[in-house]
Amino acid sequence: MIVSLFWGIFGLIIGSFLNVVIYRVPRGESIVKPRSHCPQCDHFLKAWELVPIFSFLVLRGRCHTCGSKISWRYPGVELLTGLLFFLWAWTNPTETLLVLWVHFTILAVLLALALIDKDTFRLPDVLTLPLLFLGIGSSLFLPMGLSGAESLASAIGAGGVFWLIAKIYPQGMGLGDVKLIAGMGAFLGFPKILLALFIASLLGSILGLLGMVFRRRKFRTQIPFGPFLALGACAALFGGDWLIQAYLTQF
């Protein structure tokens, strides 16, 4: 528990960095320079203004200089990242440090991609492609539960199928989704990638129907698929073995 809490606190810090990634990457800005600043008045944040969650509470959700409102997303991303890291460390206590870091990286990239896609309907290559290469590379050299061949086959299989779908029906799926799915296949393998895609499609369909009923959206209204893919991938990572086993015992 103590070790898991340590990783949870570490996740809060990574979550603070993810907020920078989520804001700057779609704008083509550097994630290193300039320093973190208020987007309204360009006030450079001091160290005490960058403490995850604590600074938001102390500042009461407003910039210390201009008083502009700070979105609840910032502490939300920090808290969610910390929770994901804590849960992963808690449920996988025997993983080596390097494997643990790979899984933390995967979870962080998934969260960043989900929110970027929600904001911009884009899944940038600068995040999807490293996720793909990380999945294949870690399977080649680390005990990830998949062999390199299995990782590569799953990435090509899942990515290839959805590449064809994107070519046939480009209005329904972008190539960013295809690259993310390939990356998911690389670190999930078969059959977990099928489970992740099923969950993503189910959640996306439910939300789409709810939007049509309650928000009067049209049938062809575009919704970002990235957040659902990320949710499906996380579900498969955390509970894939249990869900698949539960399914098999029923049928």
Side-chain angles (χ1 to χ4, degrees):
M1 177 62 73
I2 294 175
V3 173
S4 299
L5 285 172
F6 168 80
W7 288 120
I9 294 171
F10 176 71
L12 296 177
I13 299 170
I14 296 301
S16 182
F17 173 69
L18 286 183
N19 280 317
V20 176
V21 173
I22 293 164
Y23 181 83
R24 295 190 184 186
V25 166
R27 293 168 171 79
E29 300 175 3
S30 169
I31 60 175
V32 179
K33 295 180 180 179
R35 289 166 29 214
S36 295
H37 59 278
C38 172
Q40 302 300 323
C41 67
D42 291 329
H43 160 66
F44 287 110
L45 304 184
K46 298 180 176 64
W48 69 270
E49 296 174 281
L50 293 169
V51 181
I53 298 179
F54 173 80
S55 294
F56 180 85
L57 297 175
V58 170
L59 292 167
R60 298 182 180 180
R62 294 192 176 275
C63 173
H64 178 63
T65 300
C66 69
S68 59
K69 189 175 181 181
I70 302 171
S71 172
W72 276 92
R73 173 186 282 187
Y74 290 98
V77 169
E78 293 165 354
L79 186 61
L80 183 55
T81 309
L83 182 62
L84 287 172
F85 281 28
F86 167 79
L87 289 175
W88 187 265
W90 189 32
T91 54
N92 298 274
T94 60
E95 282 192 344
T96 65
L97 183 61
L98 199 52
V99 172
L100 196 65
W101 274 70
V102 169
H103 281 124
F104 286 161
T105 302
I106 289 170
L107 291 170
V109 172
L110 287 173
L111 178 55
L113 284 169
L115 292 175
I116 289 174
D117 195 27
K118 178 182 179 297
D119 291 342
T120 67
F121 288 85
R122 290 179 56 244
L123 291 166
D125 288 350
V126 71
L127 293 176
T128 55
L129 294 181
L131 188 68
L132 171 62
F133 298 141
L134 177 64
I136 297 174
S138 60
S139 296
L140 283 169
F141 302 108
L142 296 172
M144 300 293 295
L146 291 174
S147 68
E150 290 171 328
S151 174
L152 183 60
S154 181
I156 293 174
V161 168
F162 281 86
W163 179 81
L164 287 175
I165 293 174
K167 286 296 183 181
I168 295 170
Y169 183 52
Q171 295 84 1
M173 177 167 292
L175 291 179
D177 295 314
V178 174
K179 295 166 190 173
L180 175 54
I181 290 169
M184 288 165 52
F187 64 78
L188 288 175
F190 179 86
K192 286 184 182 179
I193 181 60
L194 299 181
L195 174 65
L197 293 172
F198 171 76
I199 293 173
S201 300
L202 179 63
L203 292 176
S205 299
I206 291 173
L207 186 68
L209 289 173
L210 291 175
M212 291 171 61
V213 172
F214 294 104
R215 295 189 177 182
R216 298 182 179 180
R217 290 176 176 169
K218 295 182 180 180
F219 178 74
R220 294 185 180 275
T221 299
Q222 186 180 14
I223 61 173
F225 195 35
F228 303 107
L229 289 172
L231 282 171
C234 287
L237 276 171
F238 280 97
D241 292 330
W242 181 84
L243 289 170
I244 291 169
Q245 187 61 37
Y247 175 83
L248 293 176
T249 54
Q250 293 297 319
F251 300 96

